[in-house]
Amino acid sequence: TKAALIIAPTRELAEQIETECRSIGKGSGLMGALLIGGSSMRTQFMDLSRNPRIVIGTPGRIKDHLERGSLSLAHFNIVVLDEVDRMLDMGFVR
């Protein structure tokens, strides 16, 4: 199955993307997960356990999930780096 990982530099942008994805995908049956700091890890673990087809998050929280083993990049065949220039400016990518 195809799955997409969308990485955004800020919580606010990740939340905006997630809102739009929900609106566009309404009634499609697609499951998603929002991985951002300041949000409950427990909720994020539950969302990830449902094998979402779309995962949206910030670099720091995605890294947290990768290190904990709750997220694997092997499940994604589409990766979107939104506003990568901002992520570079913020020091997320060397």
Side-chain angles (χ1 to χ4, degrees), residues 8-17 34-39 57-58:
T10 66
R11 285 187 294 206
E12 295 79 16
L13 185 55
E15 289 171 326
Q16 289 174 8
I17 295 167
L34 179 63
L35 310 180
I36 58 174
S39 180
T58 54

Side-chain angles (χ1 to χ4, degrees), residues 37-81:
S39 180
S40 165
M41 284 294 279
R42 183 176 176 199
T43 300
Q44 292 175 23
F45 289 137
M46 288 187 330
D47 289 346
L48 288 171
S49 72
R50 294 183 182 117
N51 298 316
R53 301 275 302 278
I54 301 172
V55 174
I56 303 160
T58 54
R61 186 50 63 100
I62 289 171
K63 184 178 177 193
D64 288 346
H65 281 283
L66 290 170
E67 290 173 352
R68 292 171 187 250
S70 52
L71 180 68
S72 170
L73 296 180
H75 297 108
F76 301 100
N77 58 344
I78 300 168
V79 176
V80 178
L81 300 172

